[in-house]
């Protein structure tokens, strides 16, 4: 058993006594399909070997005691006074409690302590993992019988209402539905999904963390979402059947959006192209054509950087630094943007060298340290015995 779990159990004993239920909920990578989920397109995520662990137990009263080991901090409230907190980490579990109560699920008081090894602000969805671990744990101890798909929706809603990010469903879905060595092709409109084996054939998924987290991330994210919705409303005026960018074509955007606003046009065109690109990339993956997939990852990065404008100099630097390397098939920024990680497809025997040279170049150019992880694809949420 890993040391995080052992320490969490020991800490739970010391603070709350009793034997807790332990739950693991992983972070995620996304192979391709960025900023497509809230446009009802497709995404291609997978759960990884970095996770949030929750230790939870019932209380005899109506109180909620939350502890984040990483911050050595505690928040106490009770079931009848759950509201957004000034303390940002507390909003993830509190948002879940709020959603459960609003949807008619009956809870009692509980103690919840969490820790994990997902780097915060790295674009690996540590916040979704806290939400998913919490909802899964509460479902277990209070026997709520919530279907997993409903957990994903409630956790997404918790993020939107308590963390204030108008996110799509990808992160929560991946943390709950991940499967070892499989990617999930998720249709974010119907929520139909299928798994496909991630056959990497001597390649590794390498995450390069810029270690920058731009404060504008959340507000820019919400702005992008609004820009997409504005574009859709202009298309709808001519094509009422278009309900989201999922339904739009480049021609429709040329006709209805380009004449009105060049920037909104660029945003929408990126999304329309990315939805198409994902469908092609999924075929590449199934065919085992990693080189073709890698090229599309680079195209996605260009779109995110130049058209959707959610990259930053550090992310662009890291993609540029590796893109022509013979052992690198593809590279792009991953997740919401404005910081966090790039995801890279790198030949296994070249990984160490690549990390070393890129770290040096990054330090020289940006004056920052790089962190690198090799992502293993693992199962989604589970209770630990
Ligand atoms: C964040 C959001 C997701 C998704 C990605 C971008 O991770 O939480 O819903 O929109 O950004 O693809």
């Amino acid at each position: 058993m890993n040391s995080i779990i052992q320490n969490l159990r020991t800490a739970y004993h010391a603070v709350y006594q009793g034997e807790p239920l332990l739950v693991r909920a992983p972070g995620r990578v996304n192979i391709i399909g960025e900023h497509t989920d809230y446009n009802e397109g497709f995404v291609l995520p997978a759960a990884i070997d970095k996770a949030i662990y929750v230790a939870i137990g019932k209380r005899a009263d109506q109180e909620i005691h939350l502890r984040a080991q990483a911050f050595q901090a505690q928040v106490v409230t009770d079931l009848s006074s759950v509201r957004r907190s000034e303390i940002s980490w507390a909003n993830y579990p509190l948002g879940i409690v709020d959603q459960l109560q609003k949807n008619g699920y009956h809870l009692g008081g509980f103690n919840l302590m969490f820790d994990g090894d997902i780097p915060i602000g790295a674009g690996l969805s540590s916040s979704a993992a806290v939400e998913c671990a919490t909802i899964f744990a509460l479902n277990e101890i209070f026997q709520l019988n919530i279907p997993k798909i409903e957990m994903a929706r409630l956790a997404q809603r918790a993020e939107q209402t308590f963390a204030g990010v108008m996110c799509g469903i990808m992160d929560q879905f991946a943390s709950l539905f991940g499967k070892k060595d499989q990617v999930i092709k998720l249709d974010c409109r119907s929520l139909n999904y299928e798994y496909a084996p991630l056959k990497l054939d001597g390649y590794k998924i390498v995450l390069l963390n810029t270690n920058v987290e731009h404060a504008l991330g959340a507000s820019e994210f919400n702005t992008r979402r609004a820009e997409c919705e504005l574009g859709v409303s202009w298309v709808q005026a001519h094509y009422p059947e278009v309900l989201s960018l999922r339904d739009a074509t480049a021609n429709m955007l040329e006709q209805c959006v380009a004449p009105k606003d060049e920037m909104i046009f660029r945003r929408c065109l990126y999304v329309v192209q990315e939805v198409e690109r994902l469908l092609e990339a999924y075929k590449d993956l199934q065919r085992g054509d990693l080189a073709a997939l890698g090229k599309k990852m680079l195209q996605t990065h260009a779109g995110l950087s130049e058209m959707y404008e959610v990259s930053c100099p550090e992310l662009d630097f890291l993609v540029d630094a590796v893109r022509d390397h013979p052992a690198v098939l593809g590279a792009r920024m991953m997740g919401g943007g404005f910081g966090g990680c790039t995801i890279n497809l790198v030949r296994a025997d070249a990984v160490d060298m690549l990390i070393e040279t890129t770290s040096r170049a990054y330090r020289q150019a940006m004056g920052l340290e790089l962190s690198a992880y090799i992502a293993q694809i693992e199962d989604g949420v589970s209770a630990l015995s």
Side-chain angles (χ1 to χ4, degrees):
M1 189 184 294
N2 81 31
S3 63
I4 300 177
I5 304 173
Q6 239 151 26
N7 292 341
L8 196 60
R9 181 175 273 155
T10 311
Y12 189 96
H13 275 304
V15 180
Y16 302 119
Q17 288 80 47
E19 190 59 38
L21 171 75
L22 288 158
V23 167
R24 168 189 178 276
R28 61 103 189 88
V29 289
N30 184 25
I31 305 297
I32 201 164
E34 217 66 88
H35 288 274
T36 45
D37 60 354
Y38 54 87
N39 288 301
E40 297 190 321
F42 297 85
V43 288
L44 207 57
I48 58 173
D49 56 337
K50 294 193 176 291
I52 293 290
Y53 299 89
V54 151
I56 196 167
K58 286 189 194 178
R59 295 179 61 89
D61 55 23
Q62 298 291 295
E63 292 185 356
I64 300 173
H65 289 231
L66 306 171
R67 257 186 94 86
Q69 291 303 87
F71 308 112
Q72 287 294 309
Q74 174 163 297
V75 166
V76 175
T77 180
D78 66 78
L79 284 169
S80 58
S81 17
V82 170
R83 58 183 65 90
R84 258 178 107 160
S85 167
E86 296 287 298
I87 301 173
S88 65
W89 63 261
N91 279 319
Y92 306 116
L94 289 175
I96 293 293
V97 174
D98 181 61
Q99 280 306 310
L100 290 173
Q101 291 190 323
K102 287 200 167 120
N103 286 276
Y105 293 104
H106 190 74
L107 306 175
F110 63 91
N111 301 314
L112 182 155
M113 194 179 255
F114 70 89
D115 202 356
D117 58 4
I118 309 177
I120 295 172
L124 303 178
S125 298
S126 55
S127 60
V130 177
E131 291 151 3
C132 293
T134 303
I135 197 164
F136 190 88
L138 289 170
N139 181 59
E140 290 283 313
I141 64 168
F142 294 113
Q143 297 180 2
L144 304 173
N145 286 317
I146 312 174
K148 255 209 261 178
I149 194 75
E150 182 64 7
M151 288 191 207
R153 284 204 195 89
L154 294 174
Q156 176 195 16
R157 205 65 206 121
E159 173 90 23
Q160 294 179 341
T161 52
F162 270 50
V165 181
M166 289 306 293
C167 65
I169 202 164
M170 167 169 73
D171 305 347
Q172 291 80 8
F173 195 95
S175 186
L176 291 164
F177 285 86
K179 238 189 206 177
K180 190 170 172 53
D181 297 329
Q182 311 270 317
V183 296
I184 313 168
K185 181 190 172 212
L186 172 66
D187 178 336
C188 299
R189 168 171 277 166
S190 63
L191 298 187
N192 288 337
Y193 60 98
E194 61 189 49
Y195 295 100
L198 186 60
K199 287 194 267 27
L200 285 174
D201 250 347
Y203 280 78
K204 298 266 181 209
I205 295 182
V206 179
L207 304 173
L208 298 177
N209 186 353
T210 57
N211 286 314
V212 294
E213 186 187 358
H214 285 227
L216 16 136
S219 70
E220 286 294 314
F221 187 96
N222 293 347
T223 304
R224 289 301 172 282
R225 188 167 178 155
E227 287 165 350
C228 291
E229 282 161 12
L230 181 60
V232 168
S233 73
W234 290 341
V235 175
Q236 255 171 5
H238 292 82
Y239 300 95
E241 70 278 15
V242 170
L243 302 179
S244 67
L245 287 177
R246 158 75 170 271
D247 307 316
T249 63
N251 282 341
M252 290 176 184
L253 298 176
E254 293 273 359
Q255 181 196 343
C256 310
V257 181
K260 280 190 190 280
D261 189 308
E262 190 274 331
M263 181 190 76
I264 302 290
F265 172 67
R266 254 187 300 130
R267 302 284 195 259
C268 295
L269 184 61
Y270 160 75
V271 174
V272 167
Q273 291 175 346
E274 180 72 353
V275 173
E276 276 172 28
R277 192 156 40 227
L278 178 142
L279 294 174
E280 290 306 312
Y282 187 61
K283 290 183 202 154
D284 296 339
L285 188 70
Q286 287 177 310
R287 254 190 279 119
D289 190 348
L290 290 180
L293 170 66
K295 283 205 186 83
K296 295 192 178 69
M297 291 168 69
L298 286 163
Q299 289 166 6
T300 293
H301 185 78
L304 287 166
S305 180
E306 290 152 28
M307 299 166 78
Y308 214 63
E309 296 183 281
V310 291
S311 187
C312 63
E314 294 84 358
L315 286 166
D316 289 343
F317 178 87
L318 288 182
V319 171
D320 284 341
V322 305
R323 60 178 305 146
D324 294 324
H325 193 289
V328 176
L329 293 182
R332 64 178 195 82
M333 59 151 280
M334 188 178 73
F338 303 103
C341 287
T342 61
I343 177 170
N344 304 270
L345 270 184
V346 186
R347 211 176 57 226
D349 63 3
V351 169
D352 290 345
M353 197 57 165
L354 185 89
I355 291 174
E356 203 182 303
T357 50
T358 313
S359 298
R360 203 177 315 123
Y362 187 64
R363 198 178 304 122
Q364 256 168 24
M366 298 286 159
L368 288 167
E369 289 304 316
L370 188 74
S371 335
Y373 327 100
I374 295 175
Q376 312 282 356
I377 305 308
E378 293 294 339
D379 283 331
V381 73
S382 65
L384 309 171
S385 48

